[in-house]
Amino acid sequence: MASLVLDQVTKTYPARGKPAVLAVDRLNLTVNDGEIVGLLGSSGCGKTSTLRMIAGFEGVTSGSIRIGERPVHMLLPKDRGVAMAFEGYALYPPLTIRDNIGFALLRERRPRAEIAARVGEIARLLEIEDILDRYPPTISAGQQQRTSLARALIRRAPVSLLDEPMSQLEPQLRAILRARIKDYLIEHKLTTVFVTHDQTEAIALADRIAVMEQGVLQQFATPQALKEEPANLFVASFIGEPPMNILDVRPADGGLAVLGLDGRPAFHVALAAPMTARLAAHARQGGLKLGIRPHRVRVGDPRGLAATVVSNQWLGDQTHLALDLAGCFLVVVAHGHVRSAIGEQVPVGLPLAAMHVFDAESGNALVHGLDTREAAAA
Ligand SMILES: Nc1ncnc2c1ncn2[C@@H]1O[C@H](COP(=O)(O)OP(=O)(O)O)[C@@H](O)[C@H]1O
Ligand SMILES: [Mg+2]
């Protein structure tokens, strides 16, 4: 129960005979007291390095870390007030699961009854009550992972760090435990940073998500803001499944020309004069990209543009269609079962409010949501 501040935290690993690896690059992050933050990014983007620096198992190359008001980056791990569940579990093989989970409380010389009650509570929460008398080598990877998670959560430390805490669990159990863990973190007001490469998990658990790529923080925002106002092309395509459609565009009279894969104008997006002028001014310095999420395209809209079905996947509760829209490739998601065959035409509505515009060079977002008028056919 404390705030956590990372200030320009950088980590480089020396590499023999090769340039050093820059794993974390000037990371700024403020986690509020009691807040649950997810570090999300693909493998190798620096998530574990970040957690290990907060916990003190890795030194910072530069920058500082504070917990509460106290600088901690020079302290030993045990003096930081941090509990961590490791990616590799790190259980004590000679101890039972019960003693592994209760280890920190035993060492703090808590009353036996309290330890037993808290071990019981956390084991029930994580569905590992039945293995408390067994030893780590005799249980499954998923059970080892939950033991490691229990060992961190039971401490109710000022800061809890969880590295890929549910990666070994089956989807159903993961969904159940996600909700229970969230309740537990909220009930005990635990300031938490967890690492995941699974965006569903990040969205379900986190108050705010820090999206990282190649050691660099891309955006730190609520799940909703990441979806509706992605800061750049990376976040726009990384968050959301299927990913946002990204199309090449260039300014044209009265709006934007959307370019097909061959680089020729495919259709026109009519915009109000001020927006047209603004985007045209921007385009003089560099190219533009247009983004629209597959869920926001209105399949079957009678006033829409005609597109040709390239592929059609029915996923049981929704349909994923790949469409050719006058030379543009577009992935769209329709609720329910769309039975259109390959080669058939379907009309699609492209709501301007769902369109994002990005700077092609820097990738930075320029506009979220254009005018409310519909895109008009060229
Ligand atoms: N101990 C280490 N020595 C050298 N390079 C490392 C070490 N740990 C991590 N790295 C490198 O740092 C980068 C970030 O790794 P890591 O923080 O483990 O990423 P993630 O947890 O997001 O997968 C990767 O390129 C990885 O190979
Ligand atoms: Mg990792």
Side-chain angles (χ1 to χ4, degrees), residues 23-329:
V24 180
D25 189 5
R26 290 163 293 168
L27 175 61
N28 292 320
L29 206 63
T30 296
V31 182
N32 298 320
D33 195 357
E35 190 175 26
I36 306 170
V37 164
L39 281 186
L40 176 65
S42 46
S43 180
C45 74
K47 306 180 298 292
T48 295
S49 299
T50 302
L51 278 202
R52 291 178 63 85
M53 284 190 286
I54 299 169
F57 299 107
E58 249 351 302
V60 300
T61 305
S62 61
S64 64
I65 301 174
R66 294 196 305 278
I67 292 178
E69 291 305 306
R70 194 167 70 122
V72 297
H73 55 278
M74 307 303 284
L75 302 179
L76 290 171
K78 68 177 177 54
D79 298 325
R80 294 191 184 197
V82 162
M84 178 154 170
F86 296 89
E87 209 173 3
Y89 323 139
L91 302 175
Y92 306 114
L95 299 185
T96 60
I97 300 308
R98 184 189 311 282
D99 288 345
N100 263 282
I101 296 173
F103 190 79
L105 303 185
L106 284 165
R107 212 170 45 183
E108 287 171 18
R109 298 181 189 284
R110 299 270 183 170
R112 288 202 168 274
E114 181 195 336
I115 297 175
R118 279 169 68 172
V119 169
E121 177 202 23
I122 203 78
R124 249 190 321 281
L125 186 111
L126 297 175
E127 310 252 339
I128 46 176
E129 276 176 295
D130 53 329
I131 55 163
L132 286 175
D133 294 316
R134 293 177 47 189
Y135 291 86
T138 72
I139 61 176
S140 72
Q143 290 168 327
Q144 291 183 24
Q145 186 167 45
R146 279 176 282 161
T147 302
S148 161
L149 181 56
R151 195 176 53 174
L153 290 179
I154 197 172
R155 291 178 54 191
R156 301 176 194 162
V159 171
S160 300
L161 304 174
L162 315 174
D163 197 349
E164 308 262 7
M166 285 176 276
S167 57
Q168 291 292 332
L169 310 184
E170 289 151 34
Q172 255 171 334
L173 182 60
R174 203 184 300 174
I176 295 168
L177 295 193
R178 208 148 60 198
R180 288 192 197 162
I181 291 166
K182 182 161 185 167
D183 289 345
Y184 181 89
L185 297 176
I186 292 170
E187 181 188 344
H188 297 290
K189 301 186 176 64
L190 300 185
T191 306
T192 307
V193 182
F194 71 97
V195 158
T196 182
H197 58 264
D198 173 353
Q199 53 175 289
T200 308
E201 184 167 303
I203 289 167
L205 256 178
D207 297 316
R208 283 190 294 170
I209 298 172
V211 179
M212 288 179 73
E213 169 67 359
Q214 296 195 333
V216 178
L217 179 65
Q218 302 292 317
Q219 190 170 6
F220 182 36
T222 62
Q224 187 174 353
L226 290 180
K227 283 221 162 160
E228 294 176 1
E229 292 165 12
N232 56 37
L233 282 171
F234 178 82
V235 176
S237 356
F238 189 73
I239 304 281
E241 184 47 43
M244 185 183 278
N245 294 289
I246 306 288
L247 306 169
D248 286 322
V249 289
R250 68 167 180 241
D253 273 350
L256 292 171
V258 180
L259 309 180
L261 294 175
D262 60 2
R264 287 204 295 246
F267 64 96
H268 184 76
V269 177
L271 297 171
M275 182 58 80
T276 304
R278 185 178 151 197
L279 294 178
H282 198 92
R284 278 194 280 279
Q285 282 130 54
L288 299 174
K289 299 265 187 190
L290 184 83
I292 186 160
R293 291 207 182 276
H295 295 85
R296 298 294 302 275
V297 176
R298 289 201 302 259
V299 179
D301 180 344
R303 293 179 305 137
L305 305 168
T308 307
V309 175
V310 177
S311 78
N312 181 340
Q313 266 190 305
W314 161 240
L315 298 182
D317 53 358
Q318 48 180 233
T319 310
H320 289 196
L321 297 169
L323 302 174
D324 178 348
L325 177 51
C328 287
F329 184 75

